[in-house]
Amino acid sequence: MDLGLSEEQAMLKELARDFLQKECPKRLVRQLDESDEGYSSELWHKMAELGWMGLVFPEKYGGSERNFLDLTILLEEMGYNIVPGPFFSAVVLGGLTILTAGSEEQKIEFLPKIASGEMILSLALTEPTASYDAASVKTKAIARNGEYVIKGTKLFVLNANVADYILCVARTKETKNPEDGITIFLVDAKSPGVKCTLLKTLARDKQCEVVFDNVTVSEKSIVGERDKGWPIVKDVLQKATVAKCAEMVGGAQAALDMAVNYAKERVQFGRPIGSFQAIQHYCANMATDVSGSRFITYKAAWKVSEGLPLALDIAIAKAWTSEAYGRVTLSAHQIFGAIGFTMDHDIHLYYRQAKAAEIIFGDADFQRAIIARELGL
Amino acid sequence: MDLGLSEEQAMLKELARDFLQKECPKRLVRQLDESDEGYSSELWHKMAELGWMGLVFPEKYGGSERNFLDLTILLEEMGYNIVPGPFFSAVVLGGLTILTAGSEEQKIEFLPKIASGEMILSLALTEPTASYDAASVKTKAIARNGEYVIKGTKLFVLNANVADYILCVARTKETKNPEDGITIFLVDAKSPGVKCTLLKTLARDKQCEVVFDNVTVSEKSIVGERDKGWPIVKDVLQKATVAKCAEMVGGAQAALDMAVNYAKERVQFGRPIGSFQAIQHYCANMATDVSGSRFITYKAAWKVSEGLPLALDIAIAKAWTSEAYGRVTLSAHQIFGAIGFTMDHDIHLYYRQAKAAEIIFGDADFQRAIIARELGL
Amino acid sequence: MDFKFTEDEEVFRREVRQWLEQEIPQRWIELAPGIWEETEESWALAREFQRKLSQKGWLAPSYPKEYGGLELSHMKRLILAEELAYSRAPLSIEVEVTVNWVAPSIMLFGTEKQKKDYVSSIAKGDIIFCLGYSEPNAGSDLASLQTRAVEVGDEYVINGQKTWCSYGHLADYCWLAARTDPDASKHEGISIFIVDMKTPGITIRPLINILDRHSFNEVFFDDVHIPKENLVGQKNKGWYQLMIALDFERSSIGYAAANQRIIEELIKYAKETTRNGEPLANDPLIRNELAQLAVENEVARMMAYRIAWMFSKGLHPSYESSMSMVFISEVMRHTANAGVRILGHYGELDRDSKWAVMNARIMRMCLSSLSIGVGGGSNEIQRNIIAMRGLGLPRK
Amino acid sequence: MDFKFTEDEEVFRREVRQWLEQEIPQRWIELAPGIWEETEESWALAREFQRKLSQKGWLAPSYPKEYGGLELSHMKRLILAEELAYSRAPLSIEVEVTVNWVAPSIMLFGTEKQKKDYVSSIAKGDIIFCLGYSEPNAGSDLASLQTRAVEVGDEYVINGQKTWCSYGHLADYCWLAARTDPDASKHEGISIFIVDMKTPGITIRPLINILDRHSFNEVFFDDVHIPKENLVGQKNKGWYQLMIALDFERSSIGYAAANQRIIEELIKYAKETTRNGEPLANDPLIRNELAQLAVENEVARMMAYRIAWMFSKGLHPSYESSMSMVFISEVMRHTANAGVRILGHYGELDRDSKWAVMNARIMRMCLSSLSIGVGGGSNEIQRNIIAMRGLGLPRK
């Protein structure tokens, strides 16, 4: 057992922290949050040059063949700095799906472009039920002359507004078992009939409504097998959930660091507010939440890396980390007081992230339902 | 609107507090908790002389015709002092049932004896399912030659070990609607076939297993109408729930007072521990819990007194107060530290009461299920 | 003990409710500003409404008749406040400050002239004050304030910086706490002034809040000359005047009533929303959560009622108000957070999003509820007050 | 990063588990004492077991071989501790104190003679120490202790009173902190002594705990003469020795493992218990609660693993141990309280009740869990440590 970072991981972490501190100051974060695109092409390409987009892809697809755990370490740092942009969509939701389930042809076509930062992907899964279960997939893809016609509305689709391709999860067969008959299509975002509308959200992340209005795609655009797409979705959701936990750990650490620093500096009643026991205990609880989240997340990430059974560990990580991140950012706001209530301050950026992260891929209650099942209840 | 006590109520409260402080010192509480009977006949008769047992009974039955709100004020003080004994069983569960639903004959026979302290009643409702729903009543009473034969096991029956009569809730008819076909019988505790076994519990209250092994009772022992007993049970459960909340309010107030006093006196690091902000904030939260519990309970009690619709208010009072009492006693233990972990200290008596009170008549989740229903969910 | 309102009070409640149903402008409902969300447009609507309210005598219903008040009972004021908040009537937070703190302070400490000049105008809804209390280094520790007011001839000259001055850019006057004796100890040497916001030397810098609204300001005083007669009460005794004003009727009933409305809307949403063929309202976890919110809000309401009741008995709540405020702040945060969980992704959507539900109130409340329980009278300070003033725990 | 144990460690775990399955006496399982529930009978069983354990080298597995240890790795010690706790092996809390605090302190600060006299005996399970730290006025503020040790000729003469001395009535020796220089400042002038509990002048008064067991004692020292050589380490430097010992390997893994077992039993109970025809396990609120307990306990376990891992890397955890302890204390209380809710009335029943379920462990745990997180190293003190030592927040 080794709970520490390897030398390579520590280097990656340090490099990422330094790079982002310099290249992604909060001024830029704020600016991108307010923009429609939500990312900086300049920063995007710098990240690609550092090899971040292809971190876990095999070398032959332009990647650097690091493991999933390394990716989570990078994501932790991105969460620390709350880097806006479609990294999560392109690499985790898009890239990993193709890496896991794509044909060799698809891998050759897409992965190098993702790795180089040329191509942005987005995963269109959820629909107006806003749930992550197979039964909620109502968007239909109907086979017609060797092609498929997709019709339906996807909601809360991250970064679809800037995506080149959208992975659309659609129903190709109606059976009793909702997990059967689902197929994943790689849809060119510029295809006729694809209509993307940006939604305004709490975290100012770029969630979209994507309407597929009789969008025609070829059979070759299927990722994996026809009707057998749900296990792929499940797999990528699990990885994405851990990846999101890693972002949360980084964000929670940042909120803690900011609050602690402020508590050391801010003087009221002739002493730093960090010397008041109430503030000290808030900080102690925050630090405990961050520690717990980190190790529980690392464990789940390690299981992904090792290919071990992981449904339970991932649900535990998300259930705990998402609630912990919420507590930490709320306490941070309490420590910052009025100053934290201003747009110019950074802490609310983390609070917003915490809320969005709590919901995506299922909240803690949803995860606990999985845990109960896994525990044999 | 008047949230204050009337002069009469204030007098009752003060009298009760003084009397109990003098006549029911914690030494006696402890001794009674450890005894099998769980009450002091001397104290019992003194309480009867003060008119407490007949407080809400009409004068013609030996009572003093005060209202239910007055009774809750008395119960609050009894909770403050955690007076052991069958008062709750005799007066609330037994007396109120007969007062509400008994025949004139039964009232004449039982109420004056309860009021004078001569007679102790107990309500045998719950069975091995330990639930408070009608479906759980499986004990059968079978009509035979103008008599009834009762057979079944009642569990968690308070004070049955010292009861003269047991109100046994039994099923006299099987229908689809579990609330139909339930009848309440007044059973002489010395009847052949009644077997009572004391259970050892956390609160050292006297909960019993009562086995009715073909116990024969006359038709005259029915309280209310045959098969129509459930509405009576529901009514008494509601009143008992408020009454229990009143006890909890008193107990929580006592735990708060004890903890605050200790925090003022106990010196560590050269200052009273009550000057540490962590302890101050515990106490502040405790005081807030106590205040909230008190008014929410008074409101429900007032509704009982006024005969207004009350299902929602009672469930709210129990849901809140039972959790608040738990928090208050736990915080009190945290303030007392090691000393509170000794049998000789008084605080654990309250902690035990809080646990028992949380469970009886349905815990907070149970109450919230009622609330949800009442809110139209 | 009696938990019902009198028949007369119930009649009054119905009257208020009916009146509000008619008088709240449709445009306000469309804008639907929550707390700290006012814009210039909604501010204008609110000021108009405020005057209408004053015509009913309901803006400052407790004032003596000579100042245009109705000398309304505490219970009716409670009812009025409850109905105003529940109906989301157009009232800025500064109205509360002006009507419930400033004018009563003037009535208590001010000169006859000040009473004549300001109180009736306040009751008529003609003028609004902002508070000039906090400074960058004087938040929870307000008594550390450094803004100076120096007596020069017939005037005071003010120099310094205030912050968190809510709606300072829209208010007519500032209710300013400034240091008049720099050599005195911290709590001595503070005085209260009325400052016309149009006085030369005042510069306002907006602070945009996290709801993306301009509600707060930094206000800079640069040789601001005000007439001597604008001193309120005793020179150098301002701190004590402030402390007494803190105990003025502050009721959290408005918060509780507004939150009640939110909870009811969540319940409605849960009943009407079907997910995969099943109404949300059938989910036991959601039922449990909504029930708990109802419980907490009812407790909060009773705590607010207690404050009004104490006033009605001539008692002066102090730590009881702190309890009530801490409690409702936590209930509101709980409501916002639980609301997001119940709404799921929909809870993230902001007002201008096509798919937003409940007018995006929950999402906005997630942000606005952060302001309750922080700042000057933070929950930590309130808990200190409960412990020390309420329970007699020692300071050292 | 690697979250798995090595094959060798897994083999070791299986060996321990198998051995424990065979060696835990049936009578112990019948008595089923939880924490602070030991009786004289269970104490005797525990001492017997302790010797058996020592024969395997597992009582003090980390000690150098010269003292009968195995110099076992930190990870294997973690595994051993986890298995011992999960299997509810008969070990008194005083074994942990003796093996993990007293003997390591002697090895670090003691004379060669002391090492020879005590360490091997401890490793063999022959002697047990109780702690003589707390006094009536020195709890959280331990450095205020007043028990005096005065040098007289070849002896120290001890006078004073200790309290919370757990199992002092059954222990062989007391590991005593006493004041040797009353004129020095609070943290100076404290020394550590080994005191044979049979020495004349020692009077023991039992303190019955809320589980109705005699586990604690007040210990009165009335002119107790002990040989000078029983001073451990440097005179007057005892406080610093104590502080160093506090950072000795204290792992909460035992708590986490024991609690894991409880949670598993609750899950089993929920699956097997039917109420009105429906298994408890189908109740969404109960499922949610049990899942949350599993989550919290897994977090607690990771926190405990971290401590062992840090030691294995030669790092010295300090505030990390505090975190781990505070956290597990809250998880255990949560488990006990949630357990009662799940069991309902059955959760109230004590061990001797006919209808008791889960051997009444939940009811007992409701009481015993009160002891975790209070007293000398209370959660409040631990949070202070996390804030100041871990996060560098200022004392003043």
Side-chain angles (χ1 to χ4, degrees), chain C residues 57 60-72 107 119-120 123-124:
Chain C
S62 64
Y63 291 7
K65 296 208 166 120
E66 54 176 312
Y67 298 117
L70 297 173
E71 297 178 9
L72 215 61
M107 287 191 265
V119 179
S120 300
K124 278 194 204 125

Side-chain angles (χ1 to χ4, degrees), chain A residues 171-368:
Chain A
R171 189 162 294 284
T172 37
K173 196 173 77 182
E174 295 285 349
T175 64
K176 264 194 198 153
N177 175 6
E179 300 196 356
D180 186 25
I182 285 173
T183 307
I184 305 172
F185 296 92
L186 256 165
V187 183
D188 187 327
K190 291 177 298 297
S191 308
V194 175
K195 196 179 153 230
C196 178
T197 313
L198 197 56
L199 303 169
K200 208 173 150 193
T201 57
L202 179 60
R204 304 189 293 180
D205 44 6
K206 306 307 167 191
Q207 298 188 43
C208 303
E209 176 202 61
V210 184
V211 177
F212 292 85
D213 188 12
N214 292 318
V215 176
T216 307
V217 291
S218 77
E219 194 156 347
K220 274 170 46 187
S221 70
I222 292 176
V223 178
E225 266 184 81
R226 179 188 153 144
D227 296 339
K228 307 251 180 280
W230 188 251
I232 305 169
V233 172
K234 244 169 108 173
D235 177 73
V236 74
L237 279 181
Q238 288 186 324
K239 288 171 185 160
T241 303
V242 186
K244 188 49 76 174
C245 288
E247 277 190 7
M248 289 195 272
V249 169
Q253 180 71 56
L256 168 64
D257 290 351
M258 287 163 69
V260 166
N261 287 336
Y262 182 73
K264 286 176 184 171
E265 285 162 16
R266 170 76 173 168
V267 172
Q268 288 283 273
F269 303 103
R271 46 195 274 207
I273 62 169
S275 70
F276 288 100
Q277 202 180 23
I279 304 293
Q280 292 195 343
H281 285 196
Y282 289 165
C283 290
N285 291 340
M286 290 162 76
T288 307
D289 265 338
V290 174
S291 273
S293 299
R294 176 168 289 122
F295 290 105
I296 212 81
T297 294
Y298 283 177
K299 187 182 176 196
W302 171 81
K303 285 215 162 181
V304 175
S305 273
E306 299 287 308
L308 295 168
L310 41 58
L312 179 62
D313 287 286
I314 289 177
I316 287 178
K318 180 70 171 20
W320 179 258
T321 305
S322 65
E323 296 197 332
Y325 194 13
R327 286 191 294 268
V328 167
T329 50
L330 195 57
S331 292
H333 266 287
Q334 196 61 29
I335 291 169
F336 279 108
I339 188 85
F341 197 64
T342 57
M343 207 58 149
D344 276 351
H345 199 274
D346 295 335
I347 192 66
H348 71 95
L349 302 174
Y350 290 90
Y351 176 78
R352 291 168 190 267
Q353 290 296 329
K355 281 263 154 287
E358 184 185 350
I359 296 165
I360 199 166
F361 311 134
D363 69 3
D365 282 340
F366 177 86
Q367 305 298 336
R368 283 189 287 261

Side-chain angles (χ1 to χ4, degrees), chain B residues 128-129 132-133 136 155 200-202 207 209 266 268-269 282 334 338 341-343 351-352 355 358-359, chain D residues 136-137 139-141 164 208 210 276 333 337 340 345-346 348 350 352-355 366-367 373 380:
Chain B
T129 64
Y132 290 88
D133 56 337
S136 287
L155 216 51
K200 208 174 151 193
T201 57
L202 179 59
Q207 298 188 43
E209 176 201 59
R266 170 76 173 169
Q268 289 284 272
F269 304 101
Y282 290 164
Q334 196 61 27
F341 198 65
T342 57
M343 208 56 148
Y351 176 80
R352 291 169 190 266
K355 282 263 154 286
E358 184 185 352
I359 296 165
Chain D
N137 291 310
S140 286
D141 181 14
W164 308 124
I208 304 303
I210 61 174
N276 297 330
R333 287 180 181 186
N337 288 321
V340 169
H345 275 301
Y346 288 95
E348 295 181 75
D350 204 350
D352 308 327
S353 279
K354 175 179 164 191
W355 291 83
C366 267
L367 295 172
E380 292 70 42

Side-chain angles (χ1 to χ4, degrees), chain B residues 305-319:
Chain B
S305 272
E306 300 286 308
L308 295 167
L310 40 58
L312 179 62
D313 288 286
I314 288 177
I316 286 177
K318 180 71 172 17

